[in-house]
Amino acid sequence: MRTPLVAGNWKMHGNRASNRALLDAVVAGIAGLKAVECTVCVPFPYLGEVAATLASTPLTWGAQNLSEHKQGAYTGEVAAPMLADFGCKFVLVGHSERRQLYGETDAVVAAKFAAALTQGLTPILCLGETLAQREAGSTEEVVFGQLEAVFSMSRKEDFKGAVVAYEPVWAIGTGRTATPEQVQEVHSFLRTGLPQDTRLLYGGSVKKENAAALFALPDVDGGLIGGASLVAGDFIAIVKAAAEAAVARPQRKG
Ligand code: PGA
C-alpha cells in the first residue's frame, strides 16, 4: 500500500516568524487526516526550529539538498549525518534547480541519493525533462536516463522506501501544469522500472485547483509542491485532496 505523500518544497523562502505561522496553520489545518503523509523540505538554517515545532505533530520535515560526502573539508556543504541529526526524514535529491543552476550531474545526483540512504534518510529523487526535450520527443529517454544514473550506484531494492518525483522543468514555477494525460504517461513508464511500493510524486505548478485531478491518476502517489506550499490555505487544500484521493481508492496496493 503506497500512502500518498505531499511534500512542500519551500525553496529559498521564509523567515523564522513566517515559518512558524505557516507551520502552525498547516498543522491545525490537516489535523486528523490519516490517509496521507505530509512533509516540508525547508532551508538548512531553519531545520532546528522546524524540527522543534513539528516534533509532536504528524508532520515530518526534510532538507532540499545534501552533500554527497559524509564529512570533511567541504566548506559550505551539509552532510547526510547532519540532516539525520536534526531528525530529517526526507531530502530532495537532484531537483532541477540544482541540476540546472548548480551544475549537478547525474553522477553527483546518484552519489547524493546513495549518501542519503546510508543515514536512513528517504531521498526524494527529482527527475524531469525540459521543454526542448519534450518537444523533441525525448521525455522518456531523459527521465529514464536520470533514473538509470542512480541505479548505477544504488540497487533497485534501495528504491523500495524511496520517493521519485517527476517534475517537468517547464512546469516548475511557471503556472503551466502538465496535463493529467502527460503525467500519467510518464508515471506509468517510470513505474515499470521501479519497485511497486516506490511512491511516485508529481511536481510542477500543483495548485489547489488542479490537485484532485492529478492525485486521482493511477500512478500518482502525491505531489511535490513549491509555490503553493508557502500559502497555508493552499497547501492544506492540496493535502486534503491527496487524502480524499487515497480514500477514494483504498484498493490501491503497493
Ligand atoms: P512549483 O515547484 O510547485 O512552484 O512549480 C515545484 C518544485 O520545484 O518542487
Side-chain angles (χ1 to χ4, degrees), residues 41-60:
C41 296
V42 309
F44 292 134
Y46 299 128
L47 278 173
E49 257 180 19
V50 167
T53 304
L54 297 181
S56 57
T57 76
L59 263 85
T60 57

Side-chain angles (χ1 to χ4, degrees), residues 127-129 134 139-140 143 164-172 176-192 200-207 210-224 249 252:
L127 316 167
E129 81 288 2
R134 172 163 283 272
T139 297
E140 291 192 352
V143 297
V164 172
Y166 169 55
E167 297 206 305
V169 177
W170 48 272
I172 295 177
R176 187 176 165 191
T177 321
T179 64
E181 294 71 28
Q182 289 171 323
V183 174
Q184 177 54 29
E185 193 177 15
V186 177
H187 278 228
S188 62
F189 171 74
L190 287 169
R191 177 75 72 210
T192 59
L200 275 176
L201 311 186
Y202 169 75
S205 297
V206 178
K207 307 282 174 220
N210 58 26
L214 292 163
F215 297 158
L217 296 169
D219 287 306
V220 173
D221 306 307
L224 179 55
R249 282 187 300 166
R252 170 151 53 181

Side-chain angles (χ1 to χ4, degrees), residues 9 11 92 95-97 126 167 171-175 203-207 224-228:
N9 174 10
K11 308 195 179 185
L92 301 183
H95 189 281
S96 65
E97 285 151 19
C126 304
E167 297 206 305
I172 295 177
T174 56
S205 297
V206 178
K207 307 282 174 220
L224 179 55
I225 321 298

